[in-house]
Amino acid sequence: MVNGLVGLAILFFVLALVFAILGARGVAGISMSIAKWLIILFIVLAIISLLL
């Protein structure tokens, strides 16, 4: 299964690619946006955990 933020981001990225290929650009855009924010959140939390 999908574990952690990076796994979820990869899952949403793959979903975005599939929906883009199928022509559902609205759903693909939303999935890509969610993946982008999950990666940003992961990076921020990783930096905070390294600093503490």
Side-chain angles (χ1 to χ4, degrees), residues 15-32:
L15 284 175
L17 288 177
V18 169
F19 284 122
I21 290 170
L22 293 176
R25 298 200 184 268
V27 178
I30 291 170
S31 295
M32 189 59 76

Side-chain angles (χ1 to χ4, degrees), residues 6-20:
V6 175
L8 284 173
I10 292 171
L11 174 70
F12 279 109
F13 179 71
V14 171
L15 284 175
L17 288 177
V18 169
F19 284 122

Side-chain angles (χ1 to χ4, degrees), residues 2 5 9 11 13 18 20-21 23 26-27 33-34 36 38 42-43 47 52:
V2 178
L5 291 174
L11 174 70
F13 179 71
V18 169
I21 290 170
V27 178
S33 178
I34 292 171
K36 178 184 73 171
L38 286 173
F42 170 76
I43 291 171
I47 291 171
L52 296 179

